[in-house]
Amino acid sequence: MRKLALSDEILMQVEKPARYIGNEVNSVVKDKKEIAVRFVMCFPDVYEIGMSHLGIQVLYSMFNAWDDVWCERVYSPWTDLDALMRKHNIPLFGLESQEPVKNADFLGITLQYEMCYTNILQILDLAQIPLLAKDRGEDMPIVIGGGPCSYNPEPIADFFDLFYIGEGETQYRPLLDWYLENKKQGGSRLDFLKGAAKIPGIYVPQFYEEVYNEDGTIKERKKLYEEAPDKILKEIVTDVTDCIYPLKPVVPFIKVTQDRVVLEIQRGCIRGCRFCQAGQIYRPVRERDVDKLKEYAVEMLKNTGHEEISLSSLSSSDYSKLNELLDFLIEDCDQKHINISLPSLRIDAFSLDVMSKVQDVKKSSLTFAPEAGSQRLRDVINKGLTEEVILKGAALAFEGGWTRVKLYFMLGLPTETEEDIKGIGDLSNKIAATFFDTVPKDKRVNGKVQIVTSTSFFIPKPFTPFQWAPMCTKEQFLDKAYQTKKGIMEQLNQKSIKYNWHEADVSVLEGVFARGDRKVARAILEAYKRGCMFDSWSEYFHNDVWLSSFEDCRLDIGFYTTRERADDEIFPWDFLDCGVTREFLLREWKKAQEETVSPNCRSQCQGCGAGRFGVGVCRE
Amino acid sequence: MKIRIKFAKYGTMKFIGHLDMMRFFQKAIRRAGIDIKYSEGFSPHQIMSFAAPLGVGLESTGEYLDIEVNSMKNLYAEDLLRVNDDLHLDSQDKRQKIMTVGEMKDGLNRAMVEGVEVISVGVLPDTVKNAMASVAAASYRLHCKEGAFGIADLEQTVRDFYAQETIPYTKETKKSVIELDLKQGIYEITTEKIEVNPKFLKPIEYVECAEETELTDIPEQLEDKAMTTAIRMIVNASSSGNIKPSMVFEKLCEFACVEIPASAYQVTRLETYTDLAKEGETHQFVPLAACCLDTGN
Ligand code: SF4
C-alpha cells in the first residue's frame, strides 16, 4: 500500500485531510522505475480551487498519456498544514507519489490570477526549492510558469526558470525531449535553458534584462544570451477538436468548487470587449465539433460518475451549435438524472426555454453583465449589450416565472462620469419596474422581485485596448462605490435592489501585478517574507503588510496603477506576442475614447493580427 | 428491489469522512452503471442508506449501505453502442446487459479505489428494515500502530476492567453533559493476538502513573512477522445507545493508569450487526449481510 507523506497524527490534526492523500478516482500512479521524466503540476491555491481547474486536468491527461512521463499534482497546503510542515521540516510532496516535489524534473505552476503570487513562493519554499531561479542548483526541478498571468510574467520572472506562453498542448513534448536529450549529453541546467529558449513559446527570463529610463519606465530590453529570441509568439492549438481532452478527469473525494464534468465547447471569444484580457489572448475563436462534444459528455459522465455537467467557454451563446448540443444534453442527462449547469447565456427566448428545462425557475436567477451603467460607456468598452435588450430579456423572464436577477457592473472604467455611475441605479430600477409592469399582482410569487447589483473595480490588463488606461486610486474606487450605493438608494424600487461591491485594496494590488515590471518581484518577495500568502482569501489579505513592503522596497504603487501611459511607452510585456498586434490594440484604445464600437469577428473582421494563425473564426 | 452492499475501508481511505464516502459511492454506483432508483421531485437523489457512520481515522471490514434499484440492467451497456470506437473503451466496459449480484460486485469493485473494497452484494427481502435502522451493535479491534500499548498484563486488565459493576462515563457535547454507564453497552471485551508489521517493534513511550510497569505485551518477533496483543470488543451501535470504542478505551486507560494518545492506536470496525432477538430476549447479533437472500458469492 502507498505510504503517505504525512503521519496519521498530522493528518488527524488538519482540516480536510483528504486534500493531501491523493488516491482519487482517475488519478494516475506509475512505476517510477519506468519513467524518464517526472513532472509536478501545481495550482497555487487550496485543493478545492485547484482541483476545479480544467487546464490542469488537460495537461495531466496529456502528460500521463506519454509512457515515459509521470505527471502528479500539488496544491497549496492550507495554512494549518503549512505551519506544521514548516515546524516539522516536511518537504512539499506530490499527491500521487507522496514523494518530495524537489525530486521531480519539472514543477509547472499555473498562473490563473495575480493574487496567487505569494502562494508561488509558499509552494517553492515548502518544496525546499530556492525562491529565486538564479539560486537553483543542478539537481533542482525546472520551475515553469504558464496560464493567463504569464502574459505579463515580469513581476514574477525572478522566481521562474522558464515560462510557457500560450496553450500547453503543443510544445511540451519538444521541451521534454530536449530535456532528455540534454541529460543524455551530460548538459547542464544552463545548457537546457539555452536550448529551451529556442523552442517556440518558451520564455527564459534570465536571458533578458530590463533597462529603465530615469522616470522608471522601460528604456529597452537587453538580451543577455544572444541566441534567445527577441519576441516570443504564443502557442496555439490549430484544431481544437482533434486535440487531447481529459476524458478521465480526476474525481475528488471532497466537495470542490467545480464538482462536475466540464465540457469546453470553444476557445476564444468573438466579442472583443475592451477591458477583457481573455477575449484578446485566446484569439481567434475555435469551436469544437459538436458530435465530438456529445461523445465526450457521455464518456466523461461514465468515467467520473459526476451528477452534473457544465459547459465552459468565454461566451457560450456564440457557439454555433449550442441548440443542438443542449438538446442532446437535456435528453441524455434527464434519463441519467444528471443536472446541467448552464453557463451564463445571453437572455432570450431560446435560453429561457433551455433554462426552464434544467433549473428550478423559482430558485434560479438570471444574470446580465452590462458592465457599465450607460450606453455611452458600454460603447467605450465595446460591450454590445443595450438597455432595450436587457429589459426585453428581463420581461420575458419575468413572464416565465423568474423573480431573481443578478447584474454585474464595473466601476472606474476609462472616461467614466457621474452620469454613468448613476446609470447603474437607473438600470437596476428599470428592471425592477419591468417586473411590476409585466407580472400582474395576483401572479407575483411573494409579491417580490429580487435584484442583486454587484460592482467590481476595473483593473487595466496587458494585451487589452485598455493597457494604456490609468487605474483609479483606492479612494476614487470607494467614492464610486458610495455614489453607486447612493444612486440605488434614490430609486423608486430601491427596496427590491441589493448592492454588493468588491474590496478596493485587493484591486489596487492586482492592478500593480497586472502591469508590473521586474522591480515588483522585490515587493512580492518581501511581503511573502513578512507572512503574506493566500492573498485572494480576504481573511488572509494584509493590506498594511503589502503597503509597507512596497514602501520599504522603494516602489511606488501609483507608478503602476494610476499613471497615464503614453501611446509609445514600452510595456514590460511587449516582448511577448499574443497574436493580437499592438497597432490593433492602440486603434481600439483610440476608438474607445471616441466612443465608437467595433463589430465582432463574425460580423466584420477587425484585422487584429490573430488571422495569421489561419484558424477558427478568421477562416470562416 | 433492495440491495445490500458490504465493504471494507482501510489505508489512506480512513481519512475520508462519512459524507464524502456517501458522495464517493453515489459516483461509484454511476460509474458501475447500476440502475439505481431516484427519489421524486425537482432534484432527485439516489435512494441509499448507510448503516453506521464511521469516524475519520477508523478502518473497517464491516461497512454497509443499502440501495434500491429499478432493475439489474447495466445502464452503460446500451450507451456503449452509441459511443464511437475511437474513444478506446476499456475492455472492462464490454459488460453484460443484465448483471447478477456477483457481477454487480465486480462492477463496483472496478469503480473503487485502493482502500475501499466491496466484499459482498446481496438482495434484501422487502420486509427488512434499511441498513441504518437495522444496526444494533458493532465489533471493533484496537491495536497499537507502533509497538504495544504498554499496559501491564493487558489480558487480565481487560478482564478486571469488564468485571466492574458499572463503568461511568461523562459525555460532553457542545450543548450538554450526559452521564452514561458504558457497561450497559459493552456486550463483550477481550484481547487477541494479531500480526503486525515487524518494522514497528519499539514500544512507544507513555506517561505512566502505575507503580510497577512491566511491559508484558511487547510484540514478539517471529521470522518476518510480529505478534501483538489487540483489544476486541462488541458494543452498542444503535442510534439510541451508540458507544464509541474510543470512549471504552479511554476508561480502560484510566483503569490501567496509563495515558495513550489517540494517534498511537488504530481502531478497526470489524463487523456491523443487527439483533434478531425480540424485545426482552437476550441479544442475538448477526452481521447485516446475513439478512440477504441472494449473495451470489
Ligand atoms: S483576425 Fe479578424 S476574425 Fe480573426 S480574431 Fe482578429 S478580428 Fe477576429
Side-chain angles (χ1 to χ4, degrees), chain A residues 248-265:
Chain A
K248 287 187 164 190
V250 180
V251 183
F253 292 117
I254 53 175
K255 245 187 145 41
V256 300
T257 322
Q258 282 259 21
D259 202 9
R260 51 183 79 98
V261 164
V262 181
L263 270 188
E264 189 197 42
I265 57 178

Side-chain angles (χ1 to χ4, degrees), chain B residues 11-221:
Chain B
T12 60
M13 289 301 286
K14 70 182 180 188
F15 296 107
I16 306 299
H18 179 63
L19 289 177
D20 293 328
M21 277 311 281
M22 290 171 68
R23 285 165 18 86
F24 171 76
F25 266 98
Q26 284 162 8
K27 290 180 202 277
I29 281 170
R30 282 209 179 83
R31 287 194 296 272
I34 293 172
D35 187 12
I36 192 168
K37 211 179 216 159
Y38 284 79
S39 65
E40 304 288 321
F42 207 92
S43 45
H45 55 267
Q46 299 180 350
I47 299 185
M48 181 184 273
S49 153
F50 272 70
L54 188 72
V56 173
L58 273 68
E59 297 187 317
S60 176
T61 55
E63 292 304 286
Y64 288 93
L65 77 143
D66 291 353
I67 59 172
E68 261 187 67
V69 295
N70 298 311
S71 72
M72 293 298 280
K73 259 202 296 205
N74 177 359
L75 294 184
Y76 285 122
E78 278 154 48
D79 244 5
L80 294 174
L81 303 174
R82 299 190 311 161
V83 175
N84 237 329
D85 268 347
D86 58 34
L87 287 174
H88 308 299
L89 296 172
D90 305 345
S91 53
Q92 61 168 46
D93 289 322
K94 310 230 159 48
R95 268 178 257 158
Q96 301 299 317
K97 277 195 172 176
I98 300 291
M99 293 185 260
T100 63
V101 280
E103 281 162 354
M104 190 180 271
K105 177 186 143 186
D106 295 343
L108 277 169
N109 272 329
R110 279 191 295 263
M112 294 293 120
V113 292
E114 184 185 270
V116 200
E117 189 190 329
V118 173
I119 298 168
S120 70
V121 173
V123 177
L124 275 185
D126 283 341
T127 50
V128 169
K129 283 189 286 187
N130 76 26
M132 190 171 337
S134 306
V135 177
S139 53
Y140 295 94
R141 188 183 64 210
L142 282 67
H143 75 273
C144 235
K145 285 179 192 164
E146 299 190 13
F149 285 121
I151 296 176
D153 196 356
L154 187 59
E155 249 178 277
Q156 189 57 43
T157 310
V158 166
R159 264 198 299 274
D160 294 345
F161 169 71
Y162 194 48
Q164 296 176 95
E165 200 73 9
T166 61
I167 305 173
Y169 184 87
T170 316
K171 191 176 169 182
E172 281 179 55
T173 62
K174 272 180 204 131
K175 282 181 204 144
S176 63
V177 179
I178 310 167
E179 298 292 338
L180 297 173
D181 178 13
L182 295 187
K183 177 81 192 230
Q184 305 288 321
I186 304 173
Y187 303 127
E188 200 182 302
I189 180 163
T190 52
T191 55
E192 65 173 354
K193 292 264 184 206
I194 62 161
E195 218 176 89
V196 289
N197 192 330
K199 263 198 336 224
F200 305 136
L201 273 179
K202 60 170 179 40
I204 36 171
E205 284 170 33
Y206 303 118
V207 188
E208 300 282 350
C209 62
E211 277 170 17
E212 49 173 309
T213 50
E214 209 168 294
L215 298 178
T216 52
D217 61 337
I218 293 175
E220 5 168 329
Q221 191 169 9

